[in-house]
Amino acid sequence: MWERTLQDLIRGLRANKADESKFIGKAIEEIRQEIKSDDMELKSGAVLKLTYLDMMGYDMSWASFHVVEVMSSPKLHLKSVGYLAAIQSFDQDTDVLMLTTNLLKKDLTSSPADIAVTLNGISHILTPDLARDLSPELIKMLTHSRPEIRKRAVLALFKLVKRYPEVSQQVISRLKDKLEDPDPGVIAATVNVLCELTLHNPKDYLTLAPPLFHLMTTSSNNWMLIKIIKLFGTLSPYEPRLVKKLQPPITELISTTPAISLLYECVHTCIIGGMLEGSSGDALARTCVSKLAAFIQDSDQNLKYIALLAMVKIVPSHPHLVAQYQDTILASVNDQDISIRMRALDLISAMVDETNLQNIVQQVLSHLVTDVSTSTAPTAAESLAQHTTPPTPQIAKPPLPSPSASPAYRLILSQRILQICCQNTYENVTNFEWYLSVLLDLAHIANVDVGAQIRDQMVDVVGRVKAVRRYAVQLMFTLLSDDMMLRNAQDEGSCSEVLWAAAFICGEYCSELADPQKLLPLILQPQISNLSHDIIAVYIQAAMKIFGFYAADTAQRWTDDDLHEVKATVQMIVERVSPFVTSTHIEVQERAANTLQLFNFILADLNAYRPRPNENPFDESSPSFADSDITSEPRFPKSLFLIQPLFSPYELNPVAQHAQESVPIPEDLDLDAWIVPPPPDPSIENGEKKAKKKTKKGKDGVSSSDKKGKKRQKEENGDGYGYNENELLTQESEVETEEQRMERERRRSERLERQRDDPYYIMDKNPPKPVPVAHDDDVDLIPVVKLEGMPALSEPVDSRLPSLRSTPHQSSPFYIDRVGEMPTSANKSYSDPSSTPTPGSRPGSIISRTASPAPVRVSSGLVSSFPQYEVVDDNSQPATPTPEPVKVQSKKKKTSGTGTGKKKRTKIAPSS
């Protein structure tokens, strides 16, 4: 190898790029030989080449001792190479650093040039042990006669305090003296060091405030003023008196300085230092906001960014000042720079309140609207002008694409609109009809996947704000009528999830519509098969709710002319729901099957219905009204009241946040016990039976031959199963109560259901028909109720919108249930005193709007003096009927007497 200098090594690397590793390996072998030489020039050259290779990633820790040897050279240019290599390769774990203590002390007492090189090296290789040993010498260097040495010593003190914090108090006192140094370079270095040290322990440096204040008011160096103002921004929160002291000079600097960097630092210090708080800071805040607004309008993108960033911090204390520049801030939402757009959105989210929410949302929403003018073709005149004009040598630049064309940015805009509106449970929303319209508009123009968030907020708003339900049903009717949304349901970003909310709202609050049956063809149209399975399931459930209300409402004002319309509606539902019974999604399949079974039962009842005579026994003016029995047959099909009781007993209200955890745990609840005990093991039962037989045999002392004789004698008496006829008569004489019969029927149906699902049990294809029981419930035995007080139907105002029911409407503010419903047996430990219903209160209030009452349920007061119908379950308690079988009966009349209703057993004497 002929390379001897660093320049030769670099030339060789450039010449051997194809096989660089082989060349470097040979170079390192040569360096190993050179570094062992006694010639200090050759050794320093080898160290210099190793330093260059170390910067390329090759380890040189093996040459640490040789680096120390070069550091100890008396020649300055060789010593500089040694310190450079130490700075590049030494770390806190280098072993040879303990050998450099005396060397460093010796160099600190040498010539000024050696001291300067040593101070530079100490600033990088200082360890806690070296800092402890060298601290007296470094502090002594602060009084050196040369200003460049004092400046380097001040900078070295920063690493000294970090490695050896015990010396900080001594260093602070010496740094305070250096703030009055005659050399400006030393003062600037001291301010820089203090600016970094105060970030860790600001309280320790409060004593330096007077000299720093003097420098701020007397210095003309903008860069040093920036550092001093940063220092005061860190110290002000720990010394309130500094705020009043700093306000006049900083206000003067903001008003007079032409340096933009210094101006921004003054504004930032006022924000983080608490100088804008209180009445004394209003004027300063107004000045800061005006300067920042000018930055936003500047063409420099950096100024726009830092101005938006600073305004975000001013908004919490002075929102009214920032709101004055609302249009300027909103203009930045469409900036080409993504960082500026994001900071503008952050500022808009922070400045929203009740007064400007609608304006801000509308302007942000306008950025999502696609600009059609950019995509339109040129007119004929424009095309002719382009061909007639001579071509210019300059090539026209294509227009920049709109920032809102990016799907990622459109998603951010859409999510930000939803976020600023729903924060603190819609705290800033004053008009919920407007907000529902915004959600619907957002679903149409977003073109990104925010449909789930829009759906959740629609359902949440309608559930919490009762006064908006009428408008919500009307709005959702128009959404369900939109064929475009249905056709594009499978497209990406179509927000088809809002159809889930539309179907749910129309189904739950269909009582607001005058003609709810008009929704059924829309909800069950064949095109809904393009929707996702969860939306189809809600569509089917909503159709059942709508028909339940429509059927009950029709029954209350029944005429025989309605039979054809109701039957056609039921047939339409059966036909359109039937294809979903074979759906691959279990939720859709189950709901479709349940709906189909219920409507087949209703259709059968409608086909069996025969119109009654014109005389109405329930008309109070009729002469037969007084003689009519309460159990007379109604004039309408009784199955019309089959579905609505399934959904109408309870109103759907928002649930409180701690509702679930506030439910008390029952004392007798055993989570380890079986809910449904497993079937017993047949082998164990057989063993127990055999053991019992053996035990009885031993106790009674009766032989098997005697038992066989008795058995034969009983069989001769006429019973082949070992029972006496008198015993059978006694058992049959026991009267079976209604509860026992229903329990027997329930067990029988459960047994048959298990046998039907058991693949190893052979079922009879033609099972015997059950013997009818005199007390079996029949749908024809359901008594009719007298329906009064039905409101008149209102005429539709606009043919494009659904007609609503006529209810007394008063213009009153929207009240929102922000707390939610708690269970009746809630624990007292979760009760919140702020949740007391107080009209007009903010968070924690449960408020209802009297102008828009809740939908009137059919089961809550629309009947006259007739008893309400109750469904009896297995435990003879009123409950919701199960799909199979549906048993409906009226309340039983209490029998006279004090007996329990059971007949006593009658003993029959044995026949002689």
Side-chain angles (χ1 to χ4, degrees), residues 551 598-599 601-602 638-646 881 886 888:
L598 286 173
F599 279 86
F601 176 79
I602 295 174
K638 294 183 288 295
S639 60
L640 297 182
F641 278 105
L642 178 63
I643 294 181
Q644 191 183 19
L646 302 178
V886 179
V888 183

Side-chain angles (χ1 to χ4, degrees), residues 891-902:
K891 289 185 177 179
K892 297 179 180 180
K893 296 183 179 179
K894 295 184 179 179
T895 57
S896 59
T898 58
T900 59
K902 295 183 179 180

Side-chain angles (χ1 to χ4, degrees), residues 495-790:
C495 297
S496 60
E497 292 86 353
V498 296
L499 296 175
W500 191 104
F504 175 82
I505 292 171
C506 288
E508 187 67 26
Y509 308 108
C510 60
S511 58
E512 301 289 349
L513 293 174
D515 298 317
Q517 72 278 8
K518 293 182 180 180
L519 273 171
L520 294 174
L522 296 176
I523 290 182
L524 296 178
Q525 54 185 308
Q527 289 79 7
I528 66 172
S529 58
N530 299 330
L531 301 174
S532 60
H533 61 276
D534 55 338
I535 301 178
I536 297 176
V538 176
Y539 266 55
I540 296 174
Q541 193 77 353
M544 190 185 302
K545 293 179 184 179
I546 293 169
F547 178 82
F549 180 82
Y550 159 69
D553 184 62
T554 304
Q556 296 176 28
R557 49 180 176 81
W558 177 261
T559 61
D560 292 338
D561 298 335
D562 297 331
L563 179 62
H564 178 72
E565 180 184 357
V566 175
K567 189 183 297 185
T569 303
V570 174
Q571 290 176 349
M572 182 269 297
I573 293 175
V574 171
E575 292 174 358
R576 297 190 179 182
V577 172
S578 299
F580 297 107
V581 176
T582 59
S583 174
T584 57
H585 301 284
I586 186 62
E587 183 73 14
V588 176
Q589 183 186 107
E590 182 179 359
R591 296 200 182 194
N594 293 338
T595 303
L596 191 62
Q597 292 297 326
L598 286 173
F599 279 86
N600 282 335
F601 176 79
I602 295 174
L603 185 60
D605 182 62
L606 292 175
N607 292 330
Y609 171 76
R610 296 294 179 267
R612 300 291 186 269
N614 293 331
E615 184 181 1
N616 186 6
F618 296 99
D619 189 2
E620 296 183 2
S621 61
S622 176
S624 61
F625 177 79
D627 300 333
S628 61
D629 189 8
I630 195 171
T631 61
S632 300
E633 289 294 325
R635 293 186 54 85
F636 54 85
K638 294 183 288 295
S639 60
L640 297 182
F641 278 105
L642 178 63
I643 294 181
Q644 191 183 19
L646 302 178
F647 305 102
S648 60
Y650 301 101
E651 186 179 0
L652 189 62
N653 295 320
V655 180
Q657 182 179 3
H658 302 287
Q660 182 65 39
E661 57 184 318
S662 63
V663 177
I665 301 177
E667 297 179 356
D668 55 347
L669 177 62
D670 186 6
L671 297 178
D672 298 328
W674 286 98
I675 299 176
V676 178
D681 191 354
S683 61
I684 298 177
E685 288 187 351
N686 294 334
E688 292 179 353
K689 289 181 179 179
K690 291 179 180 179
K692 289 182 179 179
K693 288 181 179 180
K694 291 180 180 180
T695 305
K696 290 182 178 179
K697 178 179 178 181
K699 289 182 179 181
D700 299 341
V702 182
S703 62
S704 60
S705 59
D706 294 338
K707 291 185 176 180
K708 290 181 180 179
K710 291 181 179 180
K711 182 177 182 181
R712 189 180 300 110
Q713 181 180 0
K714 291 179 179 179
E715 290 176 355
E716 292 174 355
N717 291 335
D719 186 6
Y721 294 93
Y723 290 100
N724 195 347
E725 182 180 0
N726 296 331
E727 294 177 357
L728 286 175
L729 293 174
T730 304
Q731 293 178 0
E732 291 177 358
S733 62
E734 181 181 356
V735 178
E736 186 182 32
T737 62
E738 184 69 12
E739 290 78 9
Q740 293 173 347
R741 185 189 66 79
M742 295 185 65
E743 179 67 15
R744 174 173 56 80
E745 291 292 332
R746 183 185 66 82
R747 292 179 179 176
R748 179 175 178 274
S749 61
E750 289 179 354
R751 184 177 72 256
L752 293 177
E753 193 69 26
R754 288 196 302 269
Q755 293 173 357
R756 187 181 297 108
D757 297 335
D758 191 355
Y760 302 101
Y761 189 90
I762 301 176
M763 296 289 295
D764 190 2
K765 294 183 179 179
N766 298 319
K769 295 182 179 181
V771 180
V773 184
H775 298 285
D776 281 349
D777 296 330
D778 189 4
V779 69
D780 295 331
L781 298 179
I782 300 177
V784 72
V785 297
K786 183 174 178 59
L787 306 174
E788 296 176 349
M790 290 301 299

Side-chain angles (χ1 to χ4, degrees), residues 334 366-376 400 402 404-405 410:
N334 210 31
S366 64
H367 292 290
L368 291 172
V369 180
T370 306
D371 189 5
V372 185
S373 61
T374 57
S375 60
T376 57
L400 294 175
S402 175
S404 58
R410 295 181 70 88

Side-chain angles (χ1 to χ4, degrees), residues 303-479:
L303 291 180
K304 286 184 180 180
Y305 182 85
I306 61 176
L308 293 171
L309 203 61
M311 274 197 173
V312 173
K313 301 177 182 179
I314 297 180
V315 167
S317 58
H318 297 82
H320 59 284
L321 297 179
V322 180
Q324 296 177 2
Y325 303 94
Q326 177 178 314
D327 297 336
T328 304
I329 297 169
L330 286 170
S332 302
V333 175
N334 210 31
D335 196 274
Q336 293 294 331
D337 191 345
I338 181 62
S339 59
I340 293 178
R341 296 201 301 267
M342 296 305 299
R343 298 290 78 78
L345 286 177
D346 293 340
L347 179 56
I348 288 172
S349 302
M351 61 186 290
V352 165
D353 57 15
E354 295 181 357
T355 60
N356 59 11
L357 173 66
Q358 295 188 16
N359 189 17
I360 289 177
V361 169
Q362 291 299 141
Q363 294 193 42
V364 176
L365 200 64
S366 64
H367 292 290
L368 291 172
V369 180
T370 306
D371 189 5
V372 185
S373 61
T374 57
S375 60
T376 57
T379 62
E382 293 175 352
S383 301
L384 182 61
Q386 291 177 1
H387 288 84
T388 55
T389 54
T392 57
Q394 297 180 355
I395 300 176
K397 295 182 179 180
L400 294 175
S402 175
S404 58
S406 170
Y409 185 58
R410 295 181 70 88
L411 179 62
I412 294 173
L413 280 178
S414 303
Q415 292 176 344
R416 196 58 63 95
I417 290 174
L418 297 174
Q419 177 185 351
I420 63 179
C421 291
C422 73
Q423 61 183 0
N424 297 330
T425 319
Y426 315 101
E427 180 182 19
N428 298 318
V429 179
T430 56
N431 188 344
F432 286 95
E433 293 182 356
W434 164 84
Y435 185 49
L436 286 178
S437 302
V438 167
L439 293 176
L440 189 58
D441 293 341
L442 185 61
H444 283 94
I445 67 175
N447 293 330
V448 287
D449 294 330
V450 290
Q453 295 94 312
I454 297 175
R455 173 200 63 196
D456 295 341
Q457 290 202 20
M458 280 183 173
V459 175
D460 189 42
V461 167
V462 176
R464 291 181 181 274
V465 187
K466 295 182 179 180
V468 80
R469 291 175 183 174
R470 288 174 59 86
Y471 179 78
V473 172
Q474 192 175 14
L475 197 63
M476 295 303 105
F477 190 100
T478 60
L479 180 59

Side-chain angles (χ1 to χ4, degrees), residues 122-161:
I122 287 176
S123 300
H124 294 85
I125 66 176
L126 199 62
T127 63
D129 294 336
L130 284 176
R132 183 189 64 245
D133 298 336
L134 297 177
S135 58
E137 285 76 10
L138 290 176
I139 294 175
K140 186 177 180 181
M141 288 294 103
L142 295 175
T143 59
H144 199 276
S145 58
R146 289 179 174 267
E148 61 271 15
I149 301 299
R150 297 197 302 271
K151 183 169 64 175
R152 294 172 188 267
V154 168
L155 296 176
L157 288 181
F158 171 69
K159 188 60 68 73
L160 177 67
V161 174

